[in-house]
Amino acid sequence: MKKLVIIDSYALVHRSYHALPPLTSPEGILVNGVYGFMLFLLKMINDLKPDYIVATFDMAAPTFRHKEYKKYKAKRVKMPDNFYEQIQIVKDLLQAFNIPILEKKGYEADDIIGSITEKLKNKNIQSFIVTGDLDTLQLISDKVFVYTLRRGIQDQVTYDKEKVFERFELKPEQLIDWKALRGDPSDNVPGVPSIGEKTASTLIKEFGTLDNLYKKIKDEEKIKVSPRILGKLKDYEDQAYFSRHLVTIQKDMKIRFDLEKAKLNPPSKDKLTSLLNGLGFRSLIPKIFDLKKNIPPVKKISLNIINTSSKIEELKQKINQEQTIGLLLDFKGEKFGQREINGIGFSFIDNTLFYIPNHQFADFFKEQLDWSQKELISYDAKIILEEIEEFSSCLFEDIKILVWLLDSERKNYKFFSIAKFFLEQEIDDSFTGSLSKLIPLWEIIKNRITALGLENVWETEEKLLISVISSMEKHGILIDKNWLGKLTKRAEKEINILEKKIYQLSGKEFNISSPKQLSEILFEDLKISSSDLKKTATKKISTNANELLKIRSSHPIIPLIIEYRGIKKLKNSFLDTLPTFINPKTNRIHTIWKQTGTATGRLSSEKPNLQNIPQKGDWGTQIRKAFVSEKSFSLVSLDYSQIELRLAAHLSGDIKMIEAFNQGKDIHKITSAYINNISEEQVTPSMRQKAKILNFGIIYGMGNKAFAQEAGISLDEAKSFREKYFSNFSGLKNYLDFSLENAKKLGYAETIFGRKRFLPLLGGLGRIARGQERIALNMPIQGLAADIIKIVMIKIQELIKSKYIESDLKILIQVHDELILEAKSEIIKEMSLLFKNIMENAVKLKVPLKVDISIGNKWGEME
């Protein structure tokens, strides 16, 4: 039996657009949706081997469903313009494939698909509907199948009648009535209120059809549902039938479909090849055409080992001749002071490769080469700066960081993964293979950086920051190991005392760290009420920290357990682990600072995470006392005060916020006074705290429920607070609304420096889409704070170098909005004021930036 493939083209491009990171053509056009569509099209042709193909499209004009029901698909946000540009590119490619395109004003692609399958129902042909969603499952029959995506764009599944029943326990045609009851949230089809998937499924399985269900209801036969659900079914009968009308795919459209014109013939080689080359999809061409005769033999990559003085001269001559040079360090080990350096590789545009073994470094670097005018390409360049002194003042193009700027949500920044994705080919995962791909990979990535407008944030921030990061890793921070030892003994003593008190109150010994055993003690043995507590996934009463805080006053054992857990966690996370990271040669911790560690633009650190060292409470202070200065040096902390709220005031232009900051007033007290309609003097600490939670919560996209929980107030109070807040700070409200709508239009949120965070699911439904709404609100503010602290670090490092005091002054740690430096004690006050000036004037704003300075010999004892 011959096969016809019917492509639901819009759905496939839409799915690909959201599944793939932003990809651009050599001309800078966004083409991620096109690329995903092409990958799926070629895979489908290879898997199904169809005899005929036709492509269907939705049109921009309203359909009959929109005219009959104004709210149809009303929740769907208009896609960015760059999505619709990709639809036209897909049509051009389909035409080059000689695939007919069908679309009709007033109807959806699903209706065209349904009408084609109906037209062919008596023909000896199988129809495969290729789509990105499951709306067409209702069309499945003995000769109609749905070939769709499961995850991403490369994982697909073919649905037949058995597969539909396996998933829904319904026949394909029953899915129409199932949707009539449950509705279709993605299309805003109402269904019957309070009836979800499970109830709808139970009813259709029992009665077979919607008609039969309502016949039984009218005949007053017993229906196994609650009185409330039965009432809903009766009250919303018309809505159920109208919903069925909306979700039913039309099969009687008059369409011009000629099966013979849909015959799959070889595509136009010249036309298709030209299109694919223009889009940057060169790797797809061999998958379509047999070009084996035209492919030149693969040139074997040879690595020139530098092991003689003449070969050293040969490499130096090559370096002097070339402008663009790739460098890759061959090493083992993660951290500064622990790496074993084997050698370094050089690559050039003509793909000649050189390798200098470690023992030849002295001869090669004996005479300093001029690297200043060269375009140096590498991957994780900070390691070269740390390990080879001769490159310490060089600027590098860093592939790892460039890719992060393109796709900050990416999970894997390993070279092999990046190269395979951007070069669209299998990669030799050896040192030589990686070295050979450095320059071609950089060329593709740099074009995309330019096309997406990320050059500024790269050139003025991230590129310059690499050398600052490498210096921070080399310097590390001195640790008082003896102090950590004393704290460990104190923690063990307090844990033992708390254990005895807890056992005494519980009446027996048990594993306090076991949630199961703790739950039994609290709620079964001690009979503490658990009515307000959440349950775990296994239906057990939760004993996590937030739940225990709710019942803190219920029994004297609860505060002891909370304290026990706190000290135990500090001991396990910090007191036991920090000593293991101390370098025995330097007595310092050399953490790994990551420019690619967050999606917001902030730095992160690991092994250990110095940004996670506790700050609050006595134990936080005591642990920070273990971070100390060298003899005759002091530590200085420079900390931005309320920077994100100040940035929110600047970006929004809110008059009241700007006035408060310019007058040096307490923004939280001012906020509370406005909300409660009282004077600033009448604001209590409790009222100020609630206002503080709301101030930060608003710019982080916190909802009413989260605010109520955090502030310890009712949901109604939280809603009232929020309404009063926005009536007073209307400028901020307008700015946040604009930020969200602009991000929906563009498909990304960005800072004033051009840092972008791509949000492909923004405007959709579900948890991820809601999360992206919060990102769209906060990213311009939080991302800007990240921009500013990075600019400050670069300027401070430049000042240190210009004054030739690098041995006397070092940047050690960056924690959120705080910088920790170590400086000679005699210059620390003078330099601190210079640094404060740099930080407070890093950018020109409508409100002042304020920096607090603290100085001391221990991080936990600074004044």
Side-chain angles (χ1 to χ4, degrees), residues 500-541:
K500 289 175 182 176
K501 289 181 179 178
I502 290 168
Y503 294 153
Q504 187 176 4
L505 288 170
S506 66
K508 62 181 175 182
E509 292 189 9
F510 65 100
N511 182 357
I512 304 170
S513 300
S514 165
K516 183 177 182 293
Q517 292 185 35
L518 180 60
S519 181
E520 290 171 357
I521 290 290
L522 298 181
F523 309 118
E524 294 178 21
D525 295 0
L526 298 178
K527 309 295 184 188
I528 297 172
S529 173
S530 62
S531 57
D532 295 330
L533 303 186
K534 292 180 181 178
K535 291 189 176 180
T536 65
T538 57
K539 305 300 181 184
K540 300 289 184 184
I541 299 165

Side-chain angles (χ1 to χ4, degrees), residues 664-680:
K665 292 188 175 181
D666 182 334
I667 187 67
H668 304 313
K669 190 175 277 191
I670 286 279
T671 300
S672 184
Y674 280 133
I675 290 174
N676 294 288
N677 198 25
I678 57 176
S679 68
E680 291 175 56

Side-chain angles (χ1 to χ4, degrees), residues 264-330:
L264 181 60
N265 292 311
S268 169
K269 185 174 177 181
D270 291 341
K271 186 177 179 182
L272 187 54
T273 301
S274 174
L275 278 171
L276 293 173
N277 278 325
L279 294 168
F281 298 167
R282 289 181 295 276
S283 66
L284 298 184
I285 296 172
K287 296 180 180 181
I288 303 167
F289 303 105
D290 184 9
L291 300 180
K292 291 177 183 176
K293 296 175 184 175
N294 302 325
I295 299 173
V298 178
K299 187 179 178 182
K300 190 176 180 182
I301 302 171
S302 60
L303 190 62
N304 296 301
I305 309 295
I306 305 299
N307 50 21
T308 64
S309 56
S310 62
K311 287 206 169 187
I312 288 176
E313 289 307 313
E314 180 188 345
L315 174 55
K316 284 185 176 180
Q317 189 175 356
K318 182 71 173 171
I319 290 169
N320 288 328
Q321 291 170 351
E322 299 288 340
Q323 175 64 28
T324 304
I325 305 168
L327 292 99
L328 199 61
L329 199 63
D330 181 15

Side-chain angles (χ1 to χ4, degrees), residues 666-830:
D666 182 334
I667 187 67
H668 304 313
K669 190 175 277 191
I670 286 279
T671 300
S672 184
Y674 280 133
I675 290 174
N676 294 288
N677 198 25
I678 57 176
S679 68
E680 291 175 56
E681 291 73 25
Q682 292 174 291
V683 175
T684 65
S686 173
M687 294 163 74
R688 181 187 180 277
Q689 179 62 22
K690 288 173 186 173
K692 181 179 180 180
I693 293 168
L694 188 56
N695 269 326
F696 286 109
I698 290 292
I699 63 172
Y700 277 95
M702 179 188 280
N704 289 327
K705 190 175 180 182
F707 170 52
Q709 191 171 355
E710 187 77 16
I713 57 178
S714 71
L715 188 59
D716 287 340
E717 284 179 293
K719 289 176 182 176
S720 175
F721 260 76
R722 196 183 188 87
E723 287 169 7
K724 290 176 183 176
Y725 184 95
F726 280 133
S727 68
N728 281 286
F729 298 107
S730 57
L732 179 61
K733 175 71 165 66
N734 293 336
Y735 166 73
L736 293 173
D737 289 344
F738 168 78
S739 294
L740 182 57
E741 289 308 309
N742 195 48
K744 286 177 181 177
K745 179 183 174 184
L746 297 172
Y748 59 80
E750 68 178 326
T751 70
I752 58 177
F753 287 98
R755 183 183 301 280
K756 292 178 174 65
R757 191 164 176 189
F758 294 92
L759 305 167
L761 297 179
L762 186 62
L765 301 170
R767 181 179 55 82
I768 297 175
R770 290 193 297 273
Q772 293 204 344
E773 282 195 12
R774 289 190 288 272
I775 292 168
L777 293 172
N778 179 250
M779 198 277 167
I781 300 168
Q782 191 178 23
L784 179 55
D787 288 331
I788 290 172
I789 199 74
K790 286 179 173 180
I791 290 167
V792 163
M793 292 168 73
I794 291 162
K795 288 187 174 184
I796 288 177
Q797 188 78 347
E798 287 171 351
L799 178 65
I800 292 170
K801 286 186 176 181
S802 68
K803 289 188 170 288
Y804 304 103
I805 52 174
E806 290 177 82
S807 60
D808 295 343
L809 186 53
K810 309 172 184 77
I811 301 175
L812 302 186
I813 299 176
Q814 191 267 309
V815 184
H816 309 305
D817 304 317
E818 178 186 19
L819 280 178
I820 306 292
L821 297 92
E822 185 177 37
K824 275 281 183 73
S825 298
E826 60 263 27
I827 64 168
I828 199 161
K829 288 187 178 178
E830 173 198 351

Side-chain angles (χ1 to χ4, degrees), residues 35 157 233 254 275 315 317 334 336 406 593 675 762 794 847:
Y35 184 65
V157 60
L233 285 167
K254 292 181 180 179
L275 278 171
L315 174 55
Q317 189 175 356
E334 286 186 290
F336 174 77
L406 289 173
W593 291 101
I675 290 174
L762 186 62
I794 291 162
V847 297

